[in-house]
Amino acid sequence: MTTSRLPARIQDVAAAAGVSVSTVSNVLNRPERVNARTADRVRSVIAALDYVPHPGAAGLRSGRASSIGLVLPDIVNSFYARIARGAAEAAYEHGFSLVLCDSGDHPDREREYFDMLAEQRAVGVVVAPLGADPDRLTRLRRRGIPLVLTDRKMPPQEGCSVAVDDVTGGRLAVEHLLDSGARHVLVVNGGHGIRQCADRYQGARQAIRSRRGARLDQVVAGQMTVAAGAAVARDLSTLPDAVFCTNDFLAVGMCQGLTQRGVRIPGDVQVVGYGDLDVATLAATPLTTVRQPVEDLGRTAVQLLMDEIEASDEHVHETRVFGPRLVPRDSTGVA
Amino acid sequence: MTTSRLPARIQDVAAAAGVSVSTVSNVLNRPERVNARTADRVRSVIAALDYVPHPGAAGLRSGRASSIGLVLPDIVNSFYARIARGAAEAAYEHGFSLVLCDSGDHPDREREYFDMLAEQRAVGVVVAPLGADPDRLTRLRRRGIPLVLTDRKMPPQEGCSVAVDDVTGGRLAVEHLLDSGARHVLVVNGGHGIRQCADRYQGARQAIRSRRGARLDQVVAGQMTVAAGAAVARDLSTLPDAVFCTNDFLAVGMCQGLTQRGVRIPGDVQVVGYGDLDVATLAATPLTTVRQPVEDLGRTAVQLLMDEIEASDEHVHETRVFGPRLVPRDSTGVA
DNA sequence: CTGTTAGCGCCTTCAG
DNA sequence: CTGAAGGCGCTAACAG
């Protein structure tokens, strides 16, 4: 046995097995083209030498790389973390490595990450885009890098996307309140400049319209935080039967504020939130909320990317929309 | 202008600029060796052609790759997400790409990720290791891949590590309680099999020992959840002056349970948590807690890796320990 | 079925 | 200061 360097190269294997380099390559990539006995011999040498192919070199020659990018505004936000988890699992299953790009909400950083991924010849990118500037995205696409958008729909000719159906979510939330006996529902919302907020409100209106005698009001909170929700609760002049907060933080604040005013939940006022964040289960009264299959977003985004890469000829772009689900807990449903 | 393929290669640049390939390479890598005027001309061609070097090919030749691995048990856990954010920032600043490996708490998956990173010739790995089996780790090291451990100390001859000082954290928490007038402190802890729990308790004892007439008790909760904390509160036969929960979830549950018993916080009993999770600010009474500089863990881990890679000759392994900080909120400090 | 040959895109001696 | 040549580890024709 000659002293071959670490890590072993394909030629070390070839030499040790007494075959040519290409035979080793064939054993790895097209086993059907090589005699079973030689293949076995080569394989045992591969195992003995602990040989693993160098994917960089392989990609250089074959043209196909093996990393995909994941560009997110903030990995500490559990929504994006759940996307990341779903994407990581799918990438793992397909044998791709996932490059994490956390833009920290900086559009410049996002663009630089796009450039970096282009330089690296990433085979595709999953992105939860920041802001509304589609230009950054089309630049990537022009470089020939497939792109899948999460949490935002995309014109189908541009590429694939995955999203959750916020209209349905809003409808489910308010239907649940009405089914539990509410007549006068207040929506505590973020600004309608946020697409999700507008959609959830639209769903709420759908639910109200289909029910006689039901009434819907809306108040827009400055921010979507616990403090803002509590402030709204404090300032309420007349109490509704039920409150739909378009985010769990608002809802927790609402519960705190109402409780401080001596209002019982759900006895006097029912409250439903949105998102099923950790905080929903942890609140003093566990919060009824709308759960979104966020992991599926990430997982599906990667799968769509795989499809576009592997069957690029007959791939047609699509938008996959996931339905949310109501999770009843203690803050709704009159005892 | 000839029709050169996309993306542009170094030879396209060379041809367009009327110089040789190596001159372009020099402009990029050792600008001092090339005439300023030619360099400028080359640079403008680079810009015009939107040329970016192919890091895979570069690494193949030069031996240095440019990706580092980040192996975590669960990216949705905010502790690890914060490590990831710190690591991502540092990696970005150093021009490395971060490969996210979420093992989902599966030791097998963790090992497979290690193998994958070795195959890819990652230049280094940051890992928040799962379980106590150091064998998986030394395998990586034997392959010559530098390794930095987070949230666990490592024998210095093995490699670098970063950690937070849980003993100090426990001491800070209990000192704060004592300073606020408490005499009888109850520690609500997880199992001492968890190193963090044991350390935090040890810190608590240090604080007690330095104060005359102070008394410390401990109760071990089954899990470190809100429900478990509430259960402990419910089952308490005699009330202490103050409670130190070694985790914010336990603390929130403790607050809920005490409040239900009609106990006022902090008037009757003070409560301090650990971790400064989101939930600490969001609880009905915002929770005094111990904040750990978790982002610094991730950031520093990557920096240590960079040092080991770039100055591998004179690099000496070290363990960097970060001090926690007490964050006073409403659940402590008698009014 | 196996081996030879020619690059993938880049960097790096070594001559000019 | 610049250019020509060789090779990093691997794959993909193409011969044999």
Side-chain angles (χ1 to χ4, degrees):
Chain A
M1 172 102 70
T2 71
T3 62
S4 48
R5 290 164 316 173
L6 239 52
R9 297 158 300 171
I10 196 172
Q11 46 184 291
D12 300 324
V13 177
V19 296
S20 83
V21 180
S22 66
T23 300
V24 180
S25 174
N26 280 331
V27 169
L28 259 21
N29 301 309
R30 305 127 121 191
E32 72 281 2
R33 291 201 190 173
V34 37
N35 182 298
R37 290 235 304 284
T38 15
D40 279 346
R41 186 155 43 88
V42 169
R43 269 189 276 266
S44 73
V45 173
I46 286 177
L49 262 48
D50 206 23
Y51 165 76
V52 285
H54 188 307
L60 187 58
R61 174 69 237 207
S62 65
R64 11 187 170 82
S66 65
S67 74
I68 67 185
L70 176 66
V71 184
L72 300 173
D74 178 15
I75 189 65
V76 177
N77 179 318
S78 69
F79 182 82
Y80 298 116
R82 288 175 64 196
I83 289 184
R85 182 204 265 161
E89 282 188 358
Y92 175 80
E93 286 161 12
H94 289 267
F96 283 71
S97 66
L98 231 213
V99 176
L100 175 65
C101 305
D102 185 328
S103 71
D105 266 320
H106 299 300
D108 289 350
R109 173 87 49 108
E110 188 188 59
R111 189 172 32 66
E112 287 168 30
Y113 269 128
F114 286 159
D115 288 348
M116 188 198 80
L117 290 168
E119 292 168 25
Q120 294 188 26
R121 272 69 170 174
V123 293
V125 175
V126 172
V127 47
L130 215 52
D133 175 15
D135 185 50
R136 289 196 297 276
L137 301 178
T138 52
R139 274 185 60 183
L140 252 193
R141 199 152 251 310
R142 264 204 303 275
R143 297 221 208 189
I145 298 182
L147 196 61
V148 174
L149 253 55
T150 66
D151 200 35
R152 175 165 311 189
K153 291 175 196 163
M154 202 181 202
Q157 68 276 19
E158 297 281 331
C160 291
S161 50
V162 294
V164 282
D165 185 347
D166 286 281
V167 176
T168 297
R171 188 165 52 70
L172 287 177
V174 172
E175 278 174 355
H176 172 74
L177 293 173
L178 296 172
D179 288 344
S180 307
R183 284 311 184 90
H184 176 196
V185 175
L186 175 69
V187 178
V188 179
N189 208 349
H192 279 214
I194 304 174
R195 201 257 312 142
Q196 284 83 344
C197 292
D199 284 1
R200 289 168 198 173
Y201 180 66
Q202 192 192 328
R205 289 189 51 195
Q206 286 181 5
I208 291 290
R209 274 201 298 271
S210 64
R211 205 69 62 105
R212 294 189 182 286
R215 170 175 155 209
L216 189 73
D217 284 331
Q218 180 179 214
V219 47
V220 173
Q223 303 179 308
M224 299 186 76
T225 62
V226 173
V232 171
R234 211 164 28 240
D235 298 343
L236 238 38
S237 52
T238 65
L239 289 182
D241 301 334
V243 181
F244 168 34
C245 298
T246 55
N247 159 295
D248 282 340
F249 291 131
L250 282 175
V252 169
M254 172 59 60
C255 289
Q256 288 179 8
L258 289 176
T259 303
Q260 272 186 344
R261 287 178 62 166
V263 176
R264 287 166 312 170
I265 298 170
D268 301 325
V269 175
Q270 305 183 60
V271 176
V272 58
Y274 207 105
D276 197 20
L277 309 182
D278 268 2
V279 66
T281 55
L282 303 178
T285 41
L287 193 67
T288 296
T289 189
V290 177
R291 179 168 183 79
Q292 313 179 87
V294 184
E295 280 85 354
D296 289 344
L297 249 54
R299 162 182 299 286
T300 305
V302 167
Q303 280 162 351
L304 289 172
L305 212 47
M306 297 294 115
D307 186 63
E308 182 164 355
I309 291 160
E310 285 164 11
S312 54
D313 37 345
E314 61 199 39
H315 172 85
V316 316
H317 296 320
E318 63 178 302
T319 292
R320 217 105 106 188
V321 177
F322 290 86
R325 187 165 64 78
L326 190 97
V327 182
R329 295 208 181 90
D330 300 352
S331 65
T332 60
V334 182
Chain B
M1 173 100 72
T2 72
T3 62
S4 47
R5 291 164 317 174
L6 238 52
R9 299 157 299 172
I10 197 172
Q11 44 184 294
D12 300 323
V13 176
V19 297
S20 83
V21 175
S22 65
T23 301
V24 179
S25 173
N26 280 331
V27 169
L28 259 21
N29 301 309
R30 305 128 120 189
E32 72 281 3
R33 291 200 190 175
V34 40
N35 181 299
R37 291 233 305 285
T38 22
D40 279 346
R41 187 156 43 88
V42 169
R43 269 189 277 265
S44 73
V45 172
I46 287 177
L49 264 48
D50 206 24
Y51 166 76
V52 285
H54 188 307
L60 185 57
R61 173 67 235 211
S62 64
R64 14 186 168 84
S66 64
S67 73
I68 68 186
L70 176 65
V71 183
L72 301 174
D74 178 14
I75 190 65
V76 177
N77 179 319
S78 70
F79 182 82
Y80 297 116
R82 288 175 65 195
I83 288 184
R85 181 203 265 161
E89 283 189 355
Y92 175 80
E93 286 161 13
H94 289 267
F96 284 71
S97 65
L98 231 212
V99 176
L100 175 65
C101 306
D102 185 325
S103 71
D105 268 319
H106 299 300
D108 288 350
R109 172 87 51 109
E110 187 187 60
R111 188 171 34 66
E112 286 168 32
Y113 269 128
F114 286 158
D115 288 347
M116 188 198 79
L117 290 167
E119 291 168 26
Q120 295 188 29
R121 273 66 169 174
V123 294
V125 175
V126 172
V127 47
L130 216 52
D133 175 14
D135 186 48
R136 288 196 298 277
L137 301 178
T138 52
R139 274 185 61 183
L140 252 194
R141 196 151 254 308
R142 263 203 302 275
R143 297 222 207 187
I145 298 182
L147 196 61
V148 174
L149 253 56
T150 66
D151 200 36
R152 176 165 311 187
K153 291 176 196 163
M154 202 181 201
Q157 67 277 19
E158 298 282 331
C160 291
S161 51
V162 294
V164 282
D165 185 346
D166 286 281
V167 176
T168 297
R171 187 165 52 70
L172 287 176
V174 172
E175 278 175 355
H176 172 75
L177 292 173
L178 295 173
D179 289 344
S180 307
R183 284 311 186 86
H184 176 194
V185 175
L186 175 70
V187 177
V188 179
N189 208 350
H192 279 214
I194 304 174
R195 201 255 313 141
Q196 283 84 345
C197 292
D199 283 2
R200 289 169 197 173
Y201 181 67
Q202 191 193 329
R205 289 189 51 195
Q206 286 181 7
I208 291 289
R209 273 201 297 270
S210 65
R211 206 71 61 106
R212 292 188 183 287
R215 170 175 155 210
L216 190 73
D217 284 332
Q218 181 179 214
V219 46
V220 173
Q223 301 181 309
M224 299 186 76
T225 62
V226 173
V232 170
R234 214 166 25 243
D235 298 344
L236 239 39
S237 52
T238 64
L239 290 182
D241 300 334
V243 181
F244 167 35
C245 298
T246 56
N247 158 295
D248 283 341
F249 291 129
L250 282 175
V252 168
M254 172 59 60
C255 289
Q256 288 179 8
L258 289 177
T259 303
Q260 272 185 344
R261 287 176 62 166
V263 176
R264 285 167 312 170
I265 298 169
D268 300 326
V269 175
Q270 306 183 60
V271 176
V272 58
Y274 207 106
D276 197 20
L277 308 183
D278 269 3
V279 67
T281 57
L282 304 178
T285 41
L287 193 67
T288 295
T289 188
V290 176
R291 179 168 183 79
Q292 312 179 87
V294 184
E295 280 85 355
D296 289 345
L297 248 54
R299 162 182 302 284
T300 304
V302 168
Q303 280 162 351
L304 289 172
L305 212 46
M306 296 295 114
D307 186 64
E308 180 163 355
I309 291 159
E310 286 163 10
S312 54
D313 37 344
E314 59 199 40
H315 172 86
V316 318
H317 295 319
E318 62 177 303
T319 292
R320 217 107 105 187
V321 176
F322 290 85
R325 185 164 64 77
L326 190 99
V327 182
R329 294 208 183 91
D330 300 351
S331 65
T332 59
V334 182

